[in-house]
Structure formats: structure tokens, C-alpha cells
């Protein structure tokens, strides 16, 4: 009798764990109704400045875009609903360029006219790999600006580093997700 009870409890626990695992694995793949281009357009209509970071995340089983916009005096960190485009969170930070003349923002402002647009960098990456943009970021390292772009298509993922002035691809990695992880 105890043996049967143990088997029944074990079976129920195993089914519960398996069901939870399937639920959470599907939840990570929340697909937004609005694509990245539409979200960028909405952000640029509402916020003056350059989009320097753009990422699609899953928050509580819901697609959320995280966007950073920087202009001469202000940095905005935004979270937007992937289905409606509604701004869920907005952090506004004033940039004091007098305190740190060598700040990344001061460098971006000085070099802004020389940089290719984020859309151009995205286009360069998409010519090499057909996929959905998962994240984009403008990064300043050693007085050189680089767009870091991550694309995904099914089980394949590509990461690019693109020189923000010349458009040259500095790094390209394409990986296939392994089913046996």
C-alpha cells in the first residue's frame, strides 16, 4: 500500500514539474504584436534624441521593449509594452556635461554627425543574417563607437559589432541553439 501511494505521489509530482517546465519554456518566447521598427518610430515621435540601446525582453510572460534615448542634455530609459506601445516605465536623467567632459555622452554628442544611424547598422546586419532584432546598442569603447546587434531566427542567433562611423562589420558570430542543453 505504501509503495502504491509513493508511486502515485511521485507520478503527480513529476507531472507537475514537467507541466511547469513546459509552461515556462513557452513563456520565454512571448511574441510582441508590434515590431521593433514600429516601437522605434513611436519613441522617436515622443522623445527628441538618438536611440542608443534597444532590446526586446520578456517580463512576467509579456514582451517588453527596453529603449534608451539620449539627447544633448537628457537620457531616457524606457520600457514599452510590446503589444500596445504604451510606456510602462520612464526614467529621465539630466546629463551634466560640466562635471565630466570625457563622459560617453559628451563623446556621443561630439561625434553624432559622423555616426551612421541605428537603422543603417540594423540593415547591414540583416543583409548578413535574416532574423528578428533582439537587441541593439551603441557602445563607446576606446574613443570608437560600435553598434552591438543581436538577431534571432528560430534556433539560430547572430551577434554583430558594426563600426558606427564606417559601417564596417568588425565581428560576426552565428550560433545554433542546441536541443540537448
Amino acid at each position: 500500500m505504501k509503495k502504491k501511494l509513493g508511486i502515485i505521489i511521485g507520478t503527480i509530482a513529476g507531472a507537475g514539474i514537467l507541466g511547469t517546465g513546459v509552461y515556462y519554456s513557452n513563456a520565454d518566447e512571448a511574441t510582441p504584436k508590434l515590431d521593433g521598427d514600429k516601437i522605434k518610430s513611436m519613441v522617436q515621435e515622443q522623445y527628441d534624441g538618438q536611440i542608443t540601446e534597444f532590446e526586446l525582453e520578456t517580463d512576467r510572460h509579456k514582451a517588453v521593449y527596453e529603449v534608451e534615448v539620449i539627447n544633448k542634455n537628457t537620457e531616457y530609459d524606457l520600457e514599452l509594452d510590446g503589444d500596445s506601445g504604451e510606456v510602462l516605465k520612464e526614467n529621465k536623467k539630466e546629463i551634466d556635461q560640466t562635471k565630466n567632459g570625457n563622459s560617453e555622452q559628451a563623446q556621443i554628442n561630439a561625434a553624432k554627425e559622423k555616426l551612421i544611424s541605428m537603422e543603417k547598422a540594423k540593415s547591414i546586419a540583416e543583409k548578413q543574417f535574416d532574423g528578428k532584432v533582439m537587441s541593439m546598442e551603441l557602445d563607446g569603447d576606446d574613443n570608437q563607437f560600435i553598434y552591438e546587434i543581436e538577431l534571432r531566427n528560430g534556433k539560430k542567433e547572430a551577434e554583430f559589432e558594426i563600426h558606427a562611423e564606417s559601417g564596417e562589420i568588425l565581428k560576426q558570430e552565428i550560433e545554433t541553439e542546441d536541443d540537448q542543453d
Side-chain angles (χ1 to χ4, degrees):
M1 181 72 173
K2 289 183 181 181
K3 192 173 184 181
K4 286 182 182 179
L5 183 60
I7 291 172
I8 291 171
I9 291 173
T11 303
I12 291 171
I17 291 169
L18 181 63
T20 302
V22 169
Y23 173 76
Y24 280 108
S25 69
N26 290 337
D28 287 341
E29 298 178 16
T31 304
K33 290 180 182 174
L34 299 175
D35 68 6
D37 292 335
K38 179 64 176 167
I39 293 292
K40 286 180 198 169
S41 174
M42 292 170 73
V43 167
Q44 290 173 331
E45 287 174 10
Q46 295 179 38
Y47 298 91
D48 181 39
Q50 181 176 9
I51 295 175
T52 56
E53 289 184 32
F54 184 84
E55 192 164 355
L56 175 61
E57 293 285 333
T58 302
D59 184 24
R60 296 186 192 135
H61 316 298
K62 189 172 188 175
V64 175
Y65 288 96
E66 294 179 357
V67 184
E68 179 183 85
V69 179
I70 297 178
N71 64 30
K72 188 173 182 178
N73 301 313
T74 311
E75 175 182 314
Y76 297 95
D77 288 315
L78 309 168
E79 287 186 8
L80 292 97
D81 183 289
D83 293 333
S84 68
E86 175 188 357
V87 177
L88 303 172
K89 182 177 170 186
E90 174 186 285
N91 288 330
K92 179 179 177 182
K93 182 171 84 173
E94 297 299 320
I95 299 170
D96 185 0
Q97 295 181 11
T98 59
K99 286 184 180 177
N100 186 0
N102 286 334
S103 72
E104 183 177 335
Q105 180 53 43
Q107 293 173 3
I108 289 173
N109 287 339
K112 199 174 192 178
E113 288 77 35
K114 297 178 188 175
L115 303 182
I116 64 173
S117 69
M118 189 171 271
E119 289 304 312
K120 176 70 175 167
K122 174 185 161 194
S123 173
I124 291 168
E126 288 176 330
K127 285 179 184 173
Q128 301 297 313
F129 181 84
D130 181 31
K132 181 177 181 178
V133 174
M134 300 308 290
S135 68
M136 292 182 69
E137 181 177 348
L138 176 62
D139 193 21
D141 289 327
D142 301 326
N143 296 323
Q144 178 175 316
F145 291 98
I146 297 170
Y147 285 107
E148 297 173 353
I149 303 172
E150 181 182 320
L151 299 153
R152 183 172 293 152
N153 186 345
K155 293 187 179 220
K156 289 188 176 185
E157 186 175 291
E159 293 181 12
F160 293 89
E161 288 185 2
I162 298 174
H163 193 277
E165 288 185 39
S166 69
E168 176 187 356
I169 296 173
L170 303 174
K171 180 179 171 185
Q172 175 179 337
E173 291 181 4
I174 299 175
E175 297 177 354
T176 302
E177 190 176 297
D178 189 5
D179 287 335
Q180 299 175 0
D181 287 341

